[in-house]
């Protein structure tokens, strides 16, 4: 007489707005709003609700971003041990899966996956889709659906709860992202394995979604919701 729901649905992750991070209706890719990060240490911080052991060998991190200014080492997403989007490589973390995005004031950009540079470029005040996939030892970077290259990386077995910052480094000051980020999604599957056209609609929750932030709401709100209930 016991019946079990095997959908794997979990409670939404807890999201805290740090600094002056807020909902902004001035710029957005979808839904009429996005997350705004200023020149200080603004961030969206996720400290509960996700177990990073859910994606040991396959995952996808992705979002849309629009930079107000470009400096060196603009962090979009920082999750130590899974993937870094932004920031310098650090020898003390050389055994981790590291993806760094370093943007120069001129607008040129280099990606670093375990010390291997993957180069691209973009401008300020323009929306771009970025996706990073990891498939059993291979990490690949896509910008607007075009692959910028791959790098060999390791698989990891994670046992601790996720600590993740969007818009800044988890623990160090400086090198913070200045601009807007929209449609942030983390999946326990490889969403893209070849060139693709980014979706023209907001992401929808499915069985492989582990975190989904639309960053919608009233202008100036600091209430960010994980649409993964």
């Amino acid at each position: 007489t016991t019946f079990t729901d095997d959908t794997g649905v979990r409670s939404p992750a807890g999201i805290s707005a740090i600094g002056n991070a807020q909902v902004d209706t001035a710029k957005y890719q979808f839904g009429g709003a996005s997350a705004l990060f200023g020149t200080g240490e603004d961030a969206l911080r996720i400290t509960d609700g996700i177990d990073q052991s859910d994606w040991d060998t396959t995952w996808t991190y992705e979002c849309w971003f629009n930079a107000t200014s470009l400096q060196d080492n603009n962090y979009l997403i920082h999750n130590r041990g899974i993937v870094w989007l932004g920031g310098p490589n650090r020898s003390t973390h050389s055994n981790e899966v590291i993806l760094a995005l370093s943007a120069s004031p001129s607008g040129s950009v280099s990606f670093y996956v375990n010390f291997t540079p993957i180069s691209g470029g973009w401008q300020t005040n323009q929306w771009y889709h970025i996706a990073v996939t990891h498939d059993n030892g291979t990490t690949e970077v896509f910008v607007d659906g075009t692959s910028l290259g791959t790098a060999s990386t390791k698989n990891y077995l994670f046992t601790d709860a996720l600590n993740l910052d969007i818009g800044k480094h988890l623990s160090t000051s400086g090198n913070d992202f200045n601009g807007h980020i929209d449609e942030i999604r983390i999946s326990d599957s490889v969403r893209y394995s070849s060139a693709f056209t980014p979706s023209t609609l907001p992401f929808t929750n499915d069985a492989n979604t582990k975190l989904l932030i639309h960053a919608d709401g009233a202008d100036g709100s600091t209430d960010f919701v994980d649409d993964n209930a």
Side-chain angles (χ1 to χ4, degrees):
T1 57
T2 299
F3 296 85
T4 302
D5 175 15
D6 192 25
T7 61
V9 175
R10 61 167 180 79
S11 298
I15 304 171
S16 300
I18 306 299
N20 293 316
Q22 60 188 274
V23 174
D24 184 48
T25 58
K27 288 184 179 182
Y28 54 87
Q29 186 66 16
F30 304 109
S34 65
L36 171 63
F37 305 87
T39 57
E41 294 187 40
D42 303 339
L44 301 183
R45 180 163 296 166
I46 294 90
T47 57
D48 59 43
I50 305 177
D51 187 343
Q52 57 193 47
S53 62
D54 287 344
W55 57 88
D56 292 329
T57 58
T58 57
W59 42 259
T60 302
Y61 276 37
E62 60 187 312
C63 66
W64 289 84
F65 75 95
N66 186 317
T68 301
S69 63
L70 285 172
Q71 303 176 31
D72 289 338
N73 307 327
N74 292 262
Y75 284 87
L76 292 175
I77 302 174
H78 179 217
N79 173 211
R80 181 172 297 168
I82 296 284
V83 63
W84 289 9
L85 291 182
N89 290 300
R90 300 173 186 271
S91 60
T92 54
H93 301 300
S94 60
N95 291 326
E96 295 177 294
V97 179
I98 300 173
L99 185 143
L101 177 156
S102 180
S104 74
S106 66
S108 64
V109 176
S110 292
F111 297 90
Y112 296 88
V113 184
N114 278 16
F115 310 101
T116 301
I118 302 175
S119 297
W122 46 58
Q123 300 176 346
T124 58
N125 300 308
Q126 181 173 331
W127 284 103
Y128 296 91
H129 177 264
I130 185 168
V132 185
T133 66
H134 182 256
D135 185 7
N136 289 295
T138 300
T139 299
E140 188 164 11
V141 181
F142 296 87
V143 173
D144 287 342
T146 298
S147 174
L148 297 188
T150 63
S152 296
T153 51
K154 298 179 180 179
N155 294 325
Y156 294 87
L157 299 176
F158 296 100
T159 58
D160 57 327
L162 175 70
N163 286 288
L164 180 148
D165 269 4
I166 297 166
K168 70 176 293 296
H169 188 284
L170 267 169
S171 56
T172 61
S173 300
N175 308 129
D176 308 313
F177 177 74
N178 178 18
H180 295 74
I181 303 178
D182 205 358
E183 290 300 302
I184 303 150
R185 181 170 69 173
I186 296 176
S187 308
D188 67 355
S189 63
V190 175
R191 298 278 184 181
Y192 317 107
S193 58
S194 60
F196 64 95
T197 300
S199 176
T200 57
L201 298 172
F203 296 135
T204 56
N205 182 28
D206 60 22
N208 297 114
T209 303
K210 295 302 176 182
L211 179 73
L212 177 55
I213 303 174
H214 298 298
D216 294 335
D219 191 50
S221 171
T222 57
D223 184 17
F224 291 88
V225 178
D226 175 17
D227 184 22
N228 190 29

